[in-house]
């Protein structure tokens, strides 16, 4: 078409640089592609609840469920089959198990610990990552211990998190992931794990966890919203980026193995800044609200879910994330196995 037009009209513009030459076809685009996305970069978050053969839909997260341990094992097997690197577990507990100090969190026969043991037995080739925070276990719904005055007591909370992390390691967790945003908890957890004989259990620190509006569907999934107040005294202000680097420096010094930014897409600039500032692996969390928006728009016919999911995940990689937590991990793994369906790559 270009040649025919040149014959009819004026001579072509003399351009020494034509970037479009590197986009001329799929093979050329593949050769010069700067960023790669693989299922091995992905972690699948899962919500576990008690019972047998239980599968409860989460209304705000289409395609996601609260699952009993037997179903968690099946989903983890499916994730492993498509190349997903690991699963991250979040327990959905009945209120009868919740106390101000979250005592159930270090129960060796608690829901999360039983789930970890089942996964390590039935799906040994997948990483198991466990959440360290009080909110799923707390009668107050906060990530830390709440005083009678309604304050989140940092220094009372940290030893409780240590007990929780050690209990998870004893159950077989590969990585513990403190998401609570208490000061000093990474170093305290590292010492507790080492003292308990778990020097090889890694810590994924939720290093820059923002007080975000994008967590709504997650809190529905776990029924873990605060009973009073909000989380702004410990989660970060969405206006701040330089503060994330301060948090990064502290977590590096305290022994974190990975550092995470949460949420993901609205904070790509923070992911990029962390990638430049550290030699540690950087994780990003494609949170429930981000995932739910893709699903809702796709249901309306406003966008193609498959393409938009892969493009979203690719943007995390381009920003500098090594590891991506996403509820679309199995979907993405399937797409990445089938280039014909992975429309973004065609």
């Amino acid at each position: 078409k270009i040649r025919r037009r040149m014959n009819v009209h004026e001579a072509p513009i003399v351009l020494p640089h034509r970037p479009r030459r590197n986009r001329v076809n799929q093979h050329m685009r593949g050769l010069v592609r700067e960023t790669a996305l693989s299922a091995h970069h992905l972690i699948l978050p899962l919500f576990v609840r008690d019972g047998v053969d239980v599968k409860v839909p989460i209304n705000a997260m289409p395609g996601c469920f609260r699952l009993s341990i037997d179903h968690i094992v099946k989903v983890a097997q499916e994730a492993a089959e498509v190349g997903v690197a690991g699963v991250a577990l979040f327990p959905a507990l009945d209120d009868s198990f919740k106390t101000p100090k979250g005592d159930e969190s270090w129960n060796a026969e608690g829901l999360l610990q039983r789930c970890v043991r089942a996964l390590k037995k039935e799906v040994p080739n997948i990483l198991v990552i466990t959440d360290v925070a009080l909110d799923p276990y707390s009668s107050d719904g906060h990530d830390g211990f709440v005083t009678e005055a309604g304050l989140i007591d940092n220094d009372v909370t940290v030893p409780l998190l240590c007990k929780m992390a050690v209990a998870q390691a004893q159950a077989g967790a590969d990585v513990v992931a403190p998401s609570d945003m208490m000061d000093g908890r990474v170093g305290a957890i590292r010492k507790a794990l080492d003292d308990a004989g778990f020097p090889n259990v890694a810590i994924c620190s939720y290093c820059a966890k923002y007080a975000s509006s994008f967590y709504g569907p997650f809190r529905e999934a776990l029924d873990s919203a605060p009973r009073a107040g909000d989380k702004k005294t410990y989660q970060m202000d969405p206006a701040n980026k330089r503060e994330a680097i301060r948090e990064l420096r502290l977590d590096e010094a305290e022994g974190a193995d990975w550092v995470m930014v949460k949420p993901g897409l609205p904070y790509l600039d923070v992911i990029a800044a962390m990638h430049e500032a550290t030699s540690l692996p950087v994780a990003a969390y494609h949170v429930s609200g981000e995932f739910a928006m893709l699903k809702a728009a796709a249901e309306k016919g406003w966008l193609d879910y498959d393409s938009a999911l892969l493009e979203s995940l690719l943007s995390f990689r381009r920003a500098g994330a090594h590891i991506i937590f996403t509820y679309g991990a199995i979907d993405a793994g399937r797409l990445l196995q089938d280039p014909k369906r992975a429309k973004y790559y065609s």
Side-chain angles (χ1 to χ4, degrees):
K1 290 182 180 178
I2 293 174
R3 288 176 180 170
R4 285 200 297 273
R5 187 168 65 248
M6 289 177 182
N7 292 334
V8 174
H9 299 290
E10 67 276 2
I13 302 170
V14 178
L15 293 176
H17 301 288
R18 290 183 181 268
R20 288 182 57 191
R21 284 194 285 261
N22 284 339
R23 307 173 198 143
V24 68
N25 57 41
Q26 180 178 353
H27 300 295
M28 184 69 83
R29 291 192 297 272
L31 283 172
V32 300
R33 183 165 291 130
E34 300 171 22
T35 306
L37 174 66
S38 162
H40 297 295
H41 296 121
L42 306 180
I43 301 293
L44 174 66
L46 293 171
F47 303 104
V48 59
R49 57 160 294 163
D50 226 333
V52 177
D53 194 23
V54 177
K55 187 176 181 179
V56 181
I58 300 167
N59 293 331
M61 299 173 67
C64 296
F65 303 85
R66 300 180 197 90
L67 300 170
S68 53
I69 292 173
D70 52 321
H71 282 293
I72 290 280
V73 168
K74 293 175 183 177
V75 173
Q77 288 170 334
E78 186 177 357
E81 287 169 2
V82 298
V84 172
V87 295
L89 299 177
F90 298 91
L93 298 176
D94 186 84
D95 284 349
S96 63
F97 290 98
K98 298 180 181 182
T99 61
K101 288 190 174 182
D103 305 74
E104 181 66 12
S105 66
W106 55 82
N107 177 4
E109 295 303 318
L111 174 62
L112 184 70
Q113 281 80 336
R114 286 185 280 118
C115 188
V116 171
R117 289 197 294 268
L119 284 170
K120 297 311 293 182
K121 178 182 178 181
E122 301 295 337
V123 200
N125 58 330
I126 200 164
L127 284 174
V128 176
I129 301 166
T130 49
D131 181 59
V132 179
L134 286 189
D135 53 331
Y137 308 94
S138 168
S139 50
D140 296 299
H142 275 282
D143 294 33
F145 176 74
V146 182
T147 68
E148 291 183 1
L151 303 176
I152 311 304
D153 192 316
N154 190 97
D155 296 1
V156 170
T157 301
V158 169
L160 305 177
L161 301 176
C162 292
K163 292 174 70 174
M164 187 188 311
V166 169
Q168 293 169 356
Q170 289 170 336
D174 299 293
V175 182
V176 297
S179 63
D180 56 285
M181 289 298 287
M182 298 296 118
D183 295 337
R185 91 279 203 207
V186 171
I189 290 171
R190 181 71 272 157
K191 183 178 187 304
L193 290 171
D194 291 350
D195 288 349
F198 298 103
N200 294 322
V201 172
I203 297 176
C204 169
S205 169
Y206 284 60
C207 180
K209 183 178 181 181
Y210 286 86
S212 173
S213 300
F214 286 90
Y215 302 147
F218 179 97
R219 290 174 182 166
E220 176 193 324
L222 290 189
D223 187 25
S224 63
R227 303 299 185 257
D230 55 40
K231 301 191 176 188
K232 293 180 180 178
T233 65
Y234 48 98
Q235 294 180 355
M236 283 180 54
D237 185 338
N240 293 355
K241 180 169 74 171
R242 292 172 61 235
E243 184 184 11
I245 304 304
R246 183 186 187 195
E247 293 281 0
L248 167 66
R249 296 293 182 229
L250 291 169
D251 287 357
E252 282 182 318
E254 291 178 24
D257 298 285
W258 309 347
V259 289
M260 180 188 284
V261 177
K262 182 181 182 183
L265 290 174
Y267 297 86
L268 293 180
D269 60 325
V270 180
I271 295 169
M274 279 207 181
H275 178 82
E276 292 300 316
T278 185
S279 59
L280 293 178
V282 176
Y285 203 131
H286 186 218
V287 301
S288 58
E290 300 168 54
F291 175 78
M293 288 193 298
L294 289 181
K295 285 287 191 175
E299 286 178 2
K300 290 284 189 180
W302 294 340
L303 54 74
D304 179 84
Y305 169 75
D306 292 350
S307 301
L309 174 65
L310 290 178
E311 186 174 348
S312 297
L313 300 179
L314 190 68
S315 72
F316 288 119
R317 294 280 297 134
R318 188 184 66 245
H322 304 88
I323 303 154
I324 307 166
F325 288 56
T326 176
Y327 301 97
I330 290 178
D331 293 338
R334 288 179 181 144
L335 291 168
L336 292 166
Q337 286 184 334
D338 182 359
K340 292 181 180 179
R341 290 188 63 200
K343 297 178 182 178
Y344 192 81
Y345 295 91
S346 63

